[in-house]
Amino acid sequence: MAYIQPNNISNTLPYVVVRTFNALKLLSDDYIIWTHLAPWQPEAPDFLILKTGRALLVKVSSASTEQTSNAAQMLLLADENRPALGAVEAQVLDQFLLPIGLPGNSPIETLVVFPNIPHKLVLESRLKRQTGEPQWAGREILQADSGLKWETFLPLQPLDRTCLEKIRQQFTPEIVVPAASTVRIPDQRRLEAGLTDYLLDYSQETAVKMDLEIESSGEELSKDLRLNIINGVAGSGKTLILLYRLRLLYHLYPDNRYLVLTHNRPLANDLESRFTHLEGNTNHRIEWSTFLAWCRRCWPKDLDWKPPISMQVRKKLIAKAHETHLKNTNVSAAMLQSEIDWLKDQLPMSREEYLTTDRRGRGFGLSADQRQRVWSAVEDYQQTLAREEKLDWGDVPQSLWKWSEEGTIALPQYDVILVDETQFFAPLWMQLIKKALHPQNPHLFLVADPTQGFLGRKASWRSLGLQARGHTHALKHSYRTTYEIMRFATLFYRTRLPDDHDEDILTPDLLNMPNGAMPIIIPLRSAQDEIARVANEVATLLKNGCQRQHLLLLHANGQGTKSLIEAINRRVGKDTAMDAKHTYPGNYVRVTTLNAGAGLESPIVFLVGLRDLFEEEQSLRLSDEERESLIRENTRKIYMAATRAGQRLVFTYVGNLPEMLCSLFEEQANLQ
């Protein structure tokens, strides 16, 4: 069968277009076919057909046999108020090609198909085809055994790649990526041809357009959850795919209600900003939020909202519960905090359920007695919060779930929910999201890089309550970064986690990636020197013409982030640098924590404060299981941060470099 995009179309389209689409799908697999989708471009050909590089633009006519006559009658009965057969379609094809500006000798053909008229009658209704006019074909072309073949209407010569890309940019504007929306390295050959924008590749386009039909069928959620999962390596365009799919759905179904969720504020702001750039505006039917901020909006209005306790207060309360119930055990306060976090990420469970639940992948084991004592410590912690009328952030989704199950509140309902960076979402979060989907034919679209997130906890799509098999599309090619940066990040990951072979982890395809500068590491003697050196590097880059928004600085901790911002602003000027969590987007140097960096991208990235992570791993207070879990978490965090870079990646490190980092940078240097 032919490769066709999209793989299905709406039955609300004219019957003749649907009928032609169904016929084209049955062509051999050497045909590549695009169906026109963009609702904001109503006057366009219906199909673009490609075979061995030969291109054909097709417009389908709804004309009937009553509108035909032989050539002589056409001359006698010419009516200015009645366009000649095929005239409207020919005008659409001409107007479509005009702005592309193809050279006069470009080998491209056009065709008008008349599904309601026999081919013989079509030919009799035309005086003579003039140079440049479309070819005509009757209904027999839709019949595989008729003898009338699409092949005969194709040009003899292939179209060169530049001309084809220009035609596709005009025909499929829904997959055109403005140069400002990507950090990929410009290709000089494309620039010389006047191509500044890009196209999603075939795999990305498939992810955008698969299963677009979401009209209500009256089926309940449990029977018909339309689930699409995009698993992609860093830089494979997952976020672009989410935005472009939203754009298409929004135009196809403007009355539907949409929710876009992610896990951190910089990314939520970035998503809305990029969509506004694509559309020129946003819409009240599209909501943008982090998951926890959305939970806050769902909080019952008759209950006073009290901000959750700070991390410092939380640690003190957990330490107190640990002292009471787990003192003199090998369960540390940090392990108790981790267990509390894990429990609050799950659907509510009783003590009896906790004692028998599967904890595989938690990073540390617990005996039956330890589970009893941990549960008692958790209860103690929760009772303290209740007495003081406080809650932590984990209690927010837990409360919403409880009230929703009891019928105390009704969650807002959405026709479509799209989630970016799903690998950071907890099982309870996903269950609340499913509750917020309208029960009539709901649509859930998820994008993720499992390497960065939940697989670090040995979780899976199944643990999130999702049946991923048959609903997942994989993207292995990175467009964001260079071969050198991706190779370094991949080697770093494999060196630190050599036994990580989960089936959901994608290995990036390093073939045909652009080359660039090697990642570098700057050794420093103190944290103060580190902050000062990075501020000076930023000042020099800006002085040499680098744009502020092309710099992204990720620090391992929040205090370091504040120090960097202050140092850069003292060195360069007020508001040169800002925290992306609070004021994004804008014309400034983005500085934020590693945790908040997921989903962001930039041509130049600095990773700062990494010594804190490596020293934490060497703490004598850690058990072997805790150390293994922490190494896994930090590895994924640094891998994520490194792959934010499009063109240059700079590490800074205070003190003696860990042997593993020395070896990696030496190996990279030997490749030059």
Side-chain angles (χ1 to χ4, degrees):
M1 293 182 65
Y3 171 90
I4 191 164
Q5 289 285 4
N7 61 355
N8 55 46
I9 58 173
S10 173
N11 289 325
T12 61
L13 291 174
Y15 169 72
V16 289
V17 174
V18 175
R19 186 178 168 195
T20 305
F21 174 86
N22 291 333
L24 288 170
K25 283 179 70 173
L26 301 177
L27 292 177
S28 58
D29 58 10
D30 52 352
Y31 279 88
I32 301 173
I33 301 163
W34 289 272
T35 306
H36 185 262
L37 273 182
W40 57 90
Q41 188 191 63
E43 297 298 323
D46 296 301
F47 301 98
L48 168 61
I49 300 176
L50 196 68
K51 182 180 182 182
T52 59
R54 296 173 293 158
L56 176 68
L57 285 166
V58 178
K59 186 65 182 173
V60 182
S61 173
S62 59
S64 63
T65 54
E66 287 75 17
Q67 294 171 266
T68 64
S69 54
N70 64 42
Q73 289 174 323
M74 288 175 63
L75 289 174
L76 293 172
L77 303 175
D79 183 352
E80 293 182 357
N81 297 319
R82 178 187 175 186
L85 188 69
V88 172
E89 292 78 13
Q91 184 178 15
V92 169
L93 290 165
D94 286 344
Q95 291 299 314
F96 174 84
L97 286 169
L98 190 62
I100 301 176
L102 295 178
N105 60 349
S106 296
I108 183 169
E109 287 286 355
T110 56
L111 172 68
V112 179
V113 174
F114 300 90
N116 297 326
I117 306 174
H119 187 62
K120 181 179 179 182
L121 188 53
V122 164
L123 296 182
E124 290 175 352
S125 300
R126 192 173 201 176
L127 292 170
K128 181 181 179 182
R129 182 194 176 201
Q130 302 298 321
T131 302
E133 287 186 339
Q135 304 171 88
W136 285 7
R139 65 189 181 198
E140 289 84 350
I141 198 170
L142 306 183
Q143 302 163 10
D145 57 353
S146 68
L148 189 61
K149 304 296 182 184
W150 293 93
E151 174 86 24
T152 61
F153 297 96
L154 290 165
L156 297 177
Q157 298 299 320
L159 197 63
D160 72 68
R161 289 183 60 185
T162 300
C163 290
L164 176 60
E165 186 168 347
K166 288 182 176 180
I167 291 170
R168 286 196 60 208
Q169 290 202 4
Q170 179 77 354
F171 186 80
T172 55
E174 69 276 4
I175 61 166
V176 174
V177 182
S181 296
T182 178
V183 297
R184 70 176 68 177
I185 298 175
D187 184 333
Q188 192 59 40
R189 291 171 299 177
R190 298 180 74 262
L191 295 177
E192 291 170 355
L195 292 167
T196 56
D197 296 336
Y198 296 87
L199 290 167
L200 299 180
D201 70 20
Y202 289 176
S203 183
Q204 293 169 323
E205 184 179 9
T206 297
V208 168
K209 296 180 177 179
M210 62 184 179
D211 197 22
L212 281 172
E213 185 68 41
I214 61 171
E215 295 157 324
S216 177
S217 64
E219 294 189 53
E220 293 300 313
L221 169 64
S222 59
K223 298 179 182 177
D224 191 31
L225 170 60
R226 288 177 178 264
L227 173 66
N228 296 109
I229 298 173
I230 309 302
N231 268 5
V233 300
S236 57
K238 300 182 296 297
T239 296
L240 278 177
I241 287 167
L242 181 147
L243 292 173
Y244 279 58
R245 186 174 183 85
L246 172 63
R247 186 188 189 196
L248 264 180
L249 289 171
Y250 169 66
H251 281 278
L252 291 170
Y253 308 101
D255 295 329
N256 282 355
R257 190 175 178 187
Y258 301 86
L259 174 64
V260 183
L261 292 173
T262 188
H263 77 295
N264 68 48
R265 279 179 289 172
L267 182 54
N269 294 335
D270 181 56
L271 287 169
E272 184 172 7
S273 172
R274 291 167 80 173
F275 187 81
T276 301
H277 179 76
L278 282 174
E279 277 293 285
N281 55 61
T282 188
N283 184 277
H284 71 281
R285 301 194 71 83
I286 304 175
E287 294 180 34
W288 310 82
S289 184
T290 65
F291 176 78
L292 291 175
W294 175 77
C295 289
R296 167 68 184 91
R297 294 207 296 267
C298 295
W299 201 256
K301 291 183 171 52
D302 57 343
L303 289 179
D304 290 338
W305 169 259
K306 296 181 179 179
I309 58 176
S310 68
M311 288 300 297
Q312 291 79 2
V313 172
R314 187 168 186 260
K315 283 186 177 181
K316 289 180 181 178
L317 295 180
I318 290 174
K320 183 179 178 182
H322 177 269
E323 178 75 13
T324 302
H325 299 277
L326 294 163
K327 187 178 180 180
N328 299 324
T329 70
N330 60 4
V331 179
S332 66
M335 293 163 72
L336 174 59
Q337 179 172 320
S338 173
E339 197 74 354
I340 290 173
D341 291 338
W342 178 76
L343 279 166
K344 293 190 178 187
D345 280 346
Q346 314 303 313
L347 290 174
M349 66 178 76
S350 65
R351 177 188 288 265
E352 290 70 25
E353 290 169 327
Y354 174 66
L355 295 177
T356 58
T357 195
D358 185 355
R359 293 182 65 264
R360 280 180 296 181
R362 289 288 299 119
F364 56 91
L366 293 175
S367 66
D369 177 65
Q370 287 173 331
R371 286 205 197 198
Q372 289 279 9
R373 298 174 71 171
V374 165
W375 185 266
S376 296
V378 173
E379 285 185 326
D380 191 343
Y381 169 71
Q382 288 301 125
Q383 288 165 4
T384 302
L385 288 177
R387 281 194 306 271
E388 299 181 12
E389 296 184 344
K390 296 176 180 178
L391 74 165
D392 63 19
W393 273 111
D395 292 321
V396 176
Q398 283 279 333
S399 298
L400 288 181
W401 176 265
K402 175 178 176 290
W403 294 330
S404 176
E405 287 288 284
E406 294 172 349
T408 306
I409 64 168
L411 295 174
Q413 298 289 284
Y414 304 89
D415 301 284
V416 181
I417 298 180
L418 306 96
V419 182
D420 199 3
E421 303 291 346
T422 313
Q423 67 269 14
F424 298 112
F425 277 53
L428 177 61
W429 297 16
M430 198 56 60
Q431 294 305 314
L432 280 168
I433 288 170
K434 289 167 71 173
K435 269 182 173 282
L437 280 164
H438 195 283
Q440 302 253 333
N441 201 15
H443 188 86
L444 181 59
F445 188 80
L446 312 174
V447 301
D449 180 358
T451 308
Q452 298 178 30
F454 64 73
L455 290 177
R457 306 189 301 272
K458 290 294 184 182
S460 65
W461 291 111
R462 183 181 293 275
S463 72
L464 295 182
L466 300 169
Q467 298 297 327
R469 189 175 298 276
H471 299 278
T472 303
H473 185 82
L475 301 172
K476 295 186 177 182
H477 190 82
S478 176
Y479 288 95
R480 174 191 299 145
T481 191
T482 63
Y483 170 83
E484 287 76 10
I485 292 173
M486 182 57 81
R487 183 180 184 277
F488 177 88
T490 303
L491 280 176
F492 175 83
Y493 184 95
R494 289 176 178 170
T495 302
R496 299 252 293 174
L497 301 176
D499 299 323
D500 222 352
H501 301 304
D502 194 287
E503 64 178 11
D504 283 328
I505 292 179
L506 298 177
T507 301
D509 179 5
L510 297 177
L511 295 176
N512 301 316
M513 292 189 70
N515 291 108
M518 291 284 189
I520 63 170
I521 190 161
I522 303 173
L524 297 151
R525 289 183 294 182
S526 69
Q528 292 80 3
D529 288 348
E530 185 177 40
I531 296 295
R533 175 63 181 268
V534 173
N536 288 336
E537 292 285 341
V538 168
T540 301
L541 285 166
L542 295 177
K543 184 179 179 180
N544 291 338
C546 178
Q547 298 181 46
R548 293 180 177 183
Q549 62 267 34
H550 288 173
L551 289 169
L552 174 63
L553 281 58
L554 300 176
H555 200 289
N557 63 67
Q559 185 55 52
T561 297
K562 292 178 183 177
S563 299
L564 264 179
I565 292 172
E566 292 170 359
I568 293 168
N569 290 340
R570 283 196 305 269
R571 180 77 171 75
V572 184
K574 183 181 179 182
D575 295 337
T576 298
M578 298 184 188
D579 193 329
K581 285 190 286 191
H582 306 306
T583 49
Y584 184 76
N587 182 27
Y588 63 87
V589 176
R590 289 170 288 162
V591 186
T592 193
T593 61
L594 283 179
N595 289 336
L600 301 180
E601 63 180 16
S602 183
I604 302 173
V605 171
F606 284 78
L607 302 187
V608 190
L610 298 183
R611 178 183 177 180
D612 292 352
L613 301 183
F614 283 89
E615 283 194 339
E616 187 182 13
E617 294 171 3
Q618 303 308 315
S619 173
L620 297 176
R621 297 179 180 179
L622 296 175
S623 68
D624 290 343
E625 290 177 320
E626 286 180 293
R627 195 182 321 280
E628 180 183 344
S629 178
L630 187 59
I631 289 173
R632 184 180 298 277
E633 179 183 343
N634 286 344
T635 299
R636 293 171 183 277
K637 193 180 294 187
I638 295 171
Y639 172 85
M640 175 279 295
T643 55
R644 302 305 93 200
Q647 298 169 25
R648 289 186 61 189
L649 175 63
V650 181
F651 291 80
T652 60
Y653 198 93
V654 173
N656 296 325
L657 284 179
E659 184 178 341
M660 186 275 301
L661 279 180
C662 285
S663 298
L664 281 182
F665 279 102
E666 287 175 5
E667 183 177 348
Q668 290 284 96
N670 292 335
L671 293 174
Q672 290 183 303

